[in-house]
């Protein structure tokens, strides 16, 4: 009770079926504030395939909002892509940034909003820690996946490719002013994205409940969110058109976003970030989920009580004692396998020979060392190697 914790909820999130229709009201609010020029940040296709653009474009036209659109954000976006977006968008001097997409586009849009407010700075300045932002343009995040939680938090992840450094930046000025979470926009997600994004949310919930910054609030969020994912993910995988399943998975991912906003992440995310810095084609949620059983095995002796509570839907009979670590890790692995993730790191191109390099670049990452220090046990080099090795 003497631990002072952060209870964060920094964005106004319109959540539910049809939430995209709130976009018009949001734009009218901005018009009243004298905002008439917007920069739009997306990937190549999902902003259209999801149906979001069918609502957004007519509203922009109707409210006579001038805009420029950068559609070059890829999964695992780089600092160069962000700088490229800034260079394109600055032509109209945007007063507002609208990000439409999953975590990659939304994260990039937040950093673009910072850089357009702080001219002369680059994305590398932020991700190397040379520049700490305090101001940004207002952002609106239209979320298209039920995994990221980025639409309600102050984080943005990007990769410095030459350093193999994929890490998160965080600043209070990076909260989206408005977020839109509409499960109806997620029905076109491919099946593997349904799985991987949901498992990203699961990892947010597990980590935020067990960092040194965790609180009764993040544990509560994790209990609820994991229970929802356990119940609704099989239904969404079985029937991609099941809107009720998407609603609850999206709700779980928002809980995950709020949870990491309060209590950050610890081991699984930094270790995964280094994997996908080396192999940008690796899906974030997929990489996390490969690592998760081994991370649970490692942290269970230090965080067994919380893990036994939050993992109850998956492993019902845990009491939280250290000797249950193997049982918890194995049961989780079986559940994940049943959902469709049966691969190890060796199936996605990593081998024992890669482990020293992964460790070296993970240790070099300033951003990720902060997260590792929040783990419920000391994260030694040996532990990192062990987790990667067990996950091969
Ligand atoms: Fe994540």
């Amino acid at each position: 009770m003497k631990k002072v914790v952060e209870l964060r909820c920094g964005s106004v999130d319109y959540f539910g079926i049809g939430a995209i229709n709130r976009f018009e009201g949001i734009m009218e609010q901005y018009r009243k504030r004298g905002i008439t020029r917007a920069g739009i940040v997306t990937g190549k296709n999902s902003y259209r395939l999801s149906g979001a653009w069918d609502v957004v474009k007519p509203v922009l036209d109707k409210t006579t909002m001038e805009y420029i659109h950068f559609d070059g954000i890829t999964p695992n976006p780089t600092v160069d892509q962000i700088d490229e977006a800034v260079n394109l968008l600055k032509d109209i001097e945007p007063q507002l940034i609208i990000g439409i997409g999953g975590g990659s586009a939304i994260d990039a849009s937040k950093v673009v909003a910072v850089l357009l407010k702080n001219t002369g700075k680059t994305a590398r300045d932020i991700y190397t820690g040379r520049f700490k932002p305090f101001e940004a343009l207002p952002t609106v995040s239209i979320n298209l996946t039920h995994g990221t939680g980025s639409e309600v938090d102050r984080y943005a992840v990007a990769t410095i490719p030459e350093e193999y450094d994929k890490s998160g930046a965080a600043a209070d000025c990076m909260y989206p002013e408005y977020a839109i979470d509409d499960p109806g926009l997620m029905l076109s997600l491919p099946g593997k994205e349904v799985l991987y994004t949901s498992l990203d949310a699961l990892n947010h919930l597990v980590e935020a409940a067990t960092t040194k910054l965790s609180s009764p609030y993040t544990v509560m969020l994790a209990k609820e969110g994991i229970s929802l994912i356990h119940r609704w993910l099989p239904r969404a995988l079985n029937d991609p058109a099941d809107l009720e399943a998407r609603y609850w998975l999206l709700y779980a991912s928002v809980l995950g976003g709020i949870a990491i906003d309060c209590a950050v992440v610890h081991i699984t995310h930094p270790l995964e970030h280094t994997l996908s810095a080396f192999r940008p084609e690796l899906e974030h949620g997929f990489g996390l989920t490969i690592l998760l059983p081994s991370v649970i095995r490692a942290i269970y002796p230090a965080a067994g009580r919380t893990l036994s509570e939050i993992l109850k839907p998956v492993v019902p009979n845990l009491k939280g004692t250290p000797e249950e670590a193997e049982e918890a890790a194995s049961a989780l692995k079986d559940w994940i396998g049943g959902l469709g993730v049966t691969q190890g790191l060796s199936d996605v191109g990593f081998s024992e020979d890669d482990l020293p390099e992964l460790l070296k670049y993970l240790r070099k990452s300033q951003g990720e060392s902060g997260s590792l220090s929040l783990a419920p046990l000391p994260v030694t080099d040996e532990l990192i190697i062990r987790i990667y090795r067990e996950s091969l």
Side-chain angles (χ1 to χ4, degrees):
M1 283 188 288
K2 287 185 178 171
K3 183 166 85 170
V4 177
V5 298
E6 297 183 28
L7 306 181
R8 287 178 174 266
C9 35
S11 301
V12 175
D13 184 25
Y14 292 113
F15 183 98
I17 297 163
I20 186 65
N21 296 317
R22 296 297 183 95
F23 183 69
E24 184 167 356
I26 295 170
M27 287 303 107
E28 283 166 1
Q29 287 293 325
Y30 283 121
R31 286 291 303 188
K32 284 179 191 159
R33 287 162 57 179
I35 289 176
T36 58
R37 299 184 306 278
I40 297 173
V41 178
T42 70
K44 269 281 168 281
N45 297 313
S46 64
Y47 72 98
R48 276 186 291 103
L49 295 177
S50 62
W53 193 242
D54 292 338
V55 176
V56 168
K57 187 175 185 314
V59 168
L60 293 172
D61 293 342
K62 184 175 167 190
T63 53
T64 61
M65 186 75 73
E66 188 186 352
Y67 65 89
I68 296 191
H69 180 183
F70 179 84
D71 68 354
I73 301 298
T74 63
N76 294 315
T78 64
V79 287
D80 301 302
Q81 284 175 11
I82 293 170
D83 288 339
E84 206 184 317
V86 170
N87 276 330
L88 180 81
L89 300 186
K90 72 181 182 194
D91 280 354
I92 62 161
E93 299 182 1
Q95 300 157 292
L96 166 71
I97 299 298
I98 301 167
I100 311 173
S104 300
I106 292 176
D107 284 8
S109 71
K110 294 178 188 178
V111 185
V112 166
V114 166
L115 295 174
L116 285 166
K117 185 75 179 179
N118 298 273
T119 49
K121 302 294 183 191
T122 67
R124 269 183 186 73
D125 290 332
I126 293 176
Y127 284 93
T128 54
R130 289 193 295 261
F131 169 56
K132 299 256 181 246
F134 292 97
E135 285 187 301
L137 297 179
T139 57
V140 176
S141 296
I142 301 176
N143 176 34
L144 302 181
T145 72
H146 38 72
T148 170
S150 178
E151 74 281 12
V152 293
D153 71 34
R154 70 199 192 287
Y155 300 133
V157 175
T159 301
I160 305 175
E162 69 277 14
E163 298 288 337
Y164 298 110
D165 183 2
K166 174 181 171 183
S167 62
D172 283 351
C173 64
M174 289 181 0
Y175 282 109
E177 273 196 352
Y178 293 99
I180 291 177
D181 273 314
D182 186 337
L185 298 177
M186 295 165 194
L187 297 175
S188 63
L189 273 181
K192 71 181 174 82
E193 293 299 325
V194 175
L195 178 60
Y196 298 157
T197 60
S198 299
L199 293 173
D200 182 20
L202 177 93
N203 278 280
H204 295 159
L205 292 158
V206 169
E207 287 179 76
T210 51
T211 70
K212 286 178 183 164
L213 302 178
S214 65
S215 67
Y217 183 48
T218 62
V219 172
M220 175 194 74
L221 295 171
K223 274 187 197 167
E224 179 68 7
I226 293 169
S227 163
L228 289 170
I229 293 167
H230 182 262
R231 176 170 177 196
W232 293 102
L233 180 53
R235 272 184 61 165
L237 291 170
N238 192 43
D239 177 8
D242 186 333
L243 198 54
E244 188 180 7
R246 299 309 186 95
Y247 178 96
W248 289 113
L249 290 173
L250 180 56
Y251 182 64
S253 91
V254 170
L255 300 188
I258 295 170
I260 59 173
D261 198 29
C262 297
V264 198
V265 290
H266 53 63
I267 299 178
T268 327
H269 268 73
L271 266 62
E272 188 291 317
H273 284 172
T274 306
L275 294 174
S276 50
F278 271 81
R279 297 188 189 281
E281 68 281 7
L282 182 68
E283 301 264 2
H284 173 58
F286 181 43
L288 290 172
T289 305
I290 291 173
L291 296 167
L292 182 62
S294 181
V295 172
I296 294 293
R297 187 178 292 116
I299 66 171
Y300 199 91
R305 211 173 100 188
T306 300
L307 288 169
S308 69
E309 287 178 28
I310 66 175
L311 294 177
K312 224 178 251 317
V314 182
V315 205
N317 298 316
L318 297 174
K319 294 179 183 61
T321 53
E323 62 274 12
E324 294 169 339
E326 185 54 46
E327 181 188 350
S330 298
L332 196 65
K333 189 166 185 162
D334 290 346
W335 176 66
I336 290 165
L339 292 169
V341 180
T342 53
Q343 302 93 326
L345 294 179
S346 56
D347 297 305
V348 291
F350 290 99
S351 71
E352 176 78 28
D353 294 344
D354 297 318
L355 305 191
E357 282 283 282
L358 290 170
L359 175 65
K360 181 176 116 188
Y361 282 99
L362 175 58
R363 285 301 193 196
K364 272 177 71 179
S365 168
Q366 270 195 16
E368 299 307 76
S369 63
S371 296
L372 290 173
S373 71
L374 298 175
L377 78 171
V379 181
T380 61
D381 290 355
E382 292 69 31
L383 178 62
I384 293 170
I385 292 287
R386 189 189 346 141
I387 290 169
Y388 278 138
R389 182 176 290 131
E390 286 179 3
S391 306
L392 282 170

